[in-house]
Amino acid sequence: MFSKETYINRRAQLKKTVGNGLLLFLGNEESGMNYTDNTYRFRQDSSFLYYFGLSFVNLYAVIDIDEDKEIIFGNELTIDDIVWMGTEPTLSERASTVGITEVHPVSSLKKYLSQATAKGQQIHYLPSYRPEHQVKLFHLLGIAPGAEEPSIPMIRTIVDMRNHKTEEEIMEIDKACTVTAKMHIAAMKELRVGMKEYEVAAIIEATAKSNGCPLSFPTIATVCGQTLHNHIHTNVVKEGDMLLVDAGCETQMGYAGDMSSTIPAGKKFSSRQKEIYDIQVAAHINAVHALKPGVPFKDIHKLACRTIFEGLKGLGLTKNDPDEAVELGVHAMFFPCGLGHMMGLDVHDMENLGEVWVGYNGQPKSTMFGYKSLRLARSLEPGFVLTIEPGIYFIPELIDYWRAEHKFLDFINYDKLETYKDFTGLRNEEDYVITKDGARRLGNLYVPVYANEVEALR
Ligand code: GLY
Ligand code: MN
């Protein structure tokens, strides 16, 4: 955990900016996989972690701005808890590590909130992303599931604070990115023709675990990289395949890394693979060079889209004006997702608070295919931490679908594209922090991006 002053100062800024009312934070609970006691890995809510640092079940926190109180609601361990799960410091001791002196049992929270409501205080809370949040809001405040009205001032203040990473947060993210880089380098060195994808996933995940880091999201290790989030690991990696790896870990404090790489199954990419790979690398490098404060990320996304369109034009897969094509969304045939997203305590940082606040600063998102999947569009500011992950994907179903609709016939050479239906897909992904005059790659280990660098590890 950070020092208690970090948490005290964060809460002070939150209180000052929201101004009045009562802020209610719901900690996360254990979640049963197939029965109650067989649980998924416990993961505390990230906003709870950000303001209260405590990663235990059955905690609630209240910042009563009007009464100038900060309270943790939780229960002391019972003898059964201790017998089965081991002992912990008392709740007061744990709360004091983050500068909170007032703790109460969970049973008293409902009364505290009803008294606040009776006094006319506004209760601010965040959007639910787990069913247990909805149950809690129903129990505590009588809000029916689906009828929640999360507090926009609370969301906007938290988003603004969490979007601007401090030096100590960036040091944590650097740690996550260094281990994440090790995960990718292990896969690059150890992948062999004939392995099952799950054997490579095991190497990747063992690297995270042996560095004391849980995963920040489920590992992608697939020879079917054209499926953007492919979590199947049962294919055999054959000569001529490419393995797309998208994997990352988080530190014990919860800060994430998120990287992707594409590895030839054999020693080298084929010449057809390398042509496409190099276009993707050009999009990646162009995007990285454009990172600096004041530049709208949407423009950098478009730069990557244009680089991909132009590169494919050189191969005869696309035609006509790249700028016009990108405005119309033609590139989405090959790159149907976004160039990157914010990253922090969540791998897609604060997606639970709403992309429109996190990545769009309240401006509306496009609904156009391709652009609608861009999670980050706003102008960049120092302290933003984000991913750069352009990719080129040949999705047979999308090719058939657009062709049948005669979509963008002036821009896509469908006859040529038919010959790429077996190509699959590729991407590379790195993590950057925006500095006062540019950007810095996160992690102190470089994962090869250029084809010759990847091949040198094979
Ligand atoms: N690493 C998964 C994603 O960015 O969606
Ligand atoms: Mn990502």
Side-chain angles (χ1 to χ4, degrees), residues 146-444:
E148 300 97 341
E149 290 181 18
S151 160
I152 303 298
M154 184 176 180
I155 291 172
R156 293 206 73 163
T157 307
I158 292 177
V159 164
D160 193 50
M161 290 181 68
R162 286 182 54 191
N163 262 346
H164 295 90
K165 271 71 178 178
T166 59
E167 278 306 312
E168 62 185 351
E169 289 186 283
I170 291 166
M171 278 169 64
E172 266 310 289
I173 299 173
D174 259 325
K175 280 190 221 160
C177 289
T178 299
V179 177
T180 297
K182 286 184 187 171
M183 295 159 69
H184 285 265
I185 290 170
M188 274 184 195
K189 287 184 172 166
E190 295 184 42
L191 170 67
R192 290 293 173 265
V193 168
M195 276 182 170
K196 290 272 200 172
E197 294 163 335
Y198 57 68
E199 293 178 80
V200 193
I203 291 166
I204 293 164
E205 295 182 7
T207 307
K209 287 215 165 184
S210 63
N211 282 275
C213 293
L215 299 181
S216 47
F217 59 94
T219 299
I220 295 169
T222 179
V223 293
C224 298
Q226 77 280 9
T227 304
L228 302 177
H229 280 178
N230 194 335
H231 292 122
I232 295 165
H233 291 158
T234 49
N235 295 301
V236 176
V237 183
K238 301 187 299 303
E239 183 67 47
D241 283 345
M242 291 180 293
L243 187 81
L244 192 157
V245 175
D246 187 343
C249 67
E250 61 181 39
T251 61
Q252 292 293 330
M253 286 180 59
Y255 285 91
D258 176 13
M259 297 180 191
S260 300
S261 43
T262 304
I263 314 169
K267 292 237 171 275
K268 287 186 181 301
F269 293 101
S270 71
S271 55
R272 186 173 80 141
Q273 286 169 343
K274 188 166 176 306
E275 282 173 344
I276 301 294
Y277 189 91
D278 287 348
I279 295 168
Q280 183 269 151
V281 171
H284 190 108
I285 301 298
N286 284 350
V288 167
H289 287 157
L291 291 172
K292 65 172 183 201
V295 180
F297 194 73
K298 187 165 188 178
D299 290 354
I300 304 180
H301 172 73
K302 285 184 179 175
L303 172 65
C305 297
R306 204 160 48 240
T307 309
I308 289 170
F309 187 92
E310 278 168 352
L312 297 177
K313 189 173 164 184
L315 299 179
L317 284 156
T318 57
K319 50 193 175 180
N320 280 321
D321 183 47
D323 287 316
E324 200 186 334
V326 167
E327 287 311 312
L328 292 170
V330 181
H331 61 276
M333 164 60 84
F334 310 95
F335 181 33
C337 51
L339 177 66
H341 51 83
M342 297 286 204
M343 189 182 81
L345 279 166
D346 307 299
V347 63
H348 290 180
D349 213 19
M350 297 173 275
E351 207 160 283
N352 61 314
L353 302 185
E355 272 173 9
V356 76
W357 304 119
V358 179
Y360 284 73
N361 203 18
Q363 298 304 306
K365 277 184 79 172
S366 169
T367 53
M368 196 193 292
F369 182 73
Y371 285 115
K372 73 177 178 189
S373 301
L374 178 62
R375 301 177 199 280
L376 174 59
R378 67 194 292 171
S379 290
L380 298 176
E381 296 176 28
F384 283 9
V385 167
L386 48 86
T387 66
I388 293 292
E389 49 180 310
I392 301 180
Y393 310 97
F394 294 89
I395 305 167
E397 296 80 359
L398 185 61
I399 296 170
D400 288 344
Y401 186 70
W402 278 25
R403 189 166 204 183
E405 301 229 309
H406 306 295
K407 217 169 146 109
F408 300 133
L409 293 176
D410 289 345
F411 293 95
I412 296 174
N413 182 349
Y414 282 101
D415 286 340
K416 177 98 182 185
L417 189 50
E418 289 289 336
T419 68
Y420 277 74
K421 272 182 165 171
D422 63 345
F423 186 89
T424 71
L426 48 83
R427 98 174 141 265
N428 279 294
E429 178 178 16
E430 296 181 313
D431 306 323
Y432 285 85
V433 58
I434 304 301
T435 57
K436 69 179 185 345
D437 49 12
R440 175 174 77 76
R441 199 189 69 242
L442 289 158
N444 64 18

